[in-house]
Amino acid sequence: DQGVNDVTPGWQPEQPVLRPPWLSGDLDPSLIDTRTKVVSPGMPPRDPSEPVFFPAGTTPDVSGWLLLLADGNRLAVEGPVVVGRKPYDVEGFPGAVLLAVEDREKTVSKNHAILLPYDGGLFVLDLNSTNGVSVVANRRRSPVTSTEFAPVPDGAVIELGSYLLGVDHVPDTTA
């Protein structure tokens, strides 16, 4: 036996399965995936129709674009933001905010992507990352290139390797 078992860590069959609030009733047990693993090189990507829930955190009192981080923190996007494990300055974007994210699987590059608010919208560009960038919105995944900024709609999830970054637009209520 050597102390090895086939039980999925963190999940026990007697525990209820958490699901989005709009689903009600019991699910057929064959539909419940108890073997989901973190997306990493060589693994199939996350299902884009699968909802993503970010931990609660304090929301800054701002209007405009907000990034929802996996640790519950929020960041107001007021200018260029470089995201990565150990981000550094990007030529052409002086003064960009450097947002370091924790990624134990190392699927996020040191400098992975740059986000840029422009003309009321939010845009993302892949900085030649190893594991790519995708924008998931309306149950569709759109890969982002390193040659053209891609629009990021309100409520989208940006996939940086296996790291998920939520996007929220807070309307200005003072106008």
Side-chain angles (χ1 to χ4, degrees), residues 12-171:
Q12 299 301 323
E14 65 276 358
Q15 292 178 335
V17 175
L18 299 177
R19 55 188 177 270
W22 57 85
L23 288 179
S24 59
D26 291 329
L27 291 176
D28 179 340
S30 66
L31 297 176
I32 301 170
D33 180 9
T34 59
R35 299 168 314 281
T36 300
K37 295 185 173 83
V38 174
V39 177
S40 60
M43 301 269 313
R46 188 181 67 78
D47 179 357
S49 65
E50 195 176 288
V52 176
F53 299 96
F54 290 91
T58 3
T59 302
D61 187 22
V62 296
S63 61
W65 293 98
L66 268 175
L67 299 180
L68 314 176
L69 308 179
D71 62 6
N73 286 322
R74 307 292 190 252
L75 175 72
V77 181
E78 297 170 345
V81 177
V82 178
V83 185
R85 277 186 297 117
K86 294 181 180 174
Y88 50 87
D89 290 331
V90 173
E91 187 179 342
F93 298 95
V97 171
L98 304 178
L99 176 60
V101 296
E102 185 178 337
D103 176 37
R104 291 187 185 112
E105 290 80 31
K106 297 213 181 342
T107 62
V108 175
S109 298
K110 289 180 183 174
N111 250 18
H112 202 104
I114 186 165
L115 293 124
L116 183 68
Y118 178 76
D119 199 24
L122 184 65
F123 298 84
V124 63
L125 179 74
D126 187 342
L127 294 174
N128 294 311
S129 64
T130 303
N131 292 309
V133 177
S134 293
V135 174
V136 179
N138 302 319
R139 298 179 176 224
R140 294 181 55 128
R141 174 181 287 109
S142 304
V144 175
T145 68
S146 58
T147 57
E148 186 176 346
F149 275 94
V152 181
D154 183 17
V157 172
I158 300 172
E159 295 177 339
L160 308 169
S162 65
Y163 187 87
L164 304 180
L165 189 63
V167 177
D168 191 19
H169 187 262
V170 180

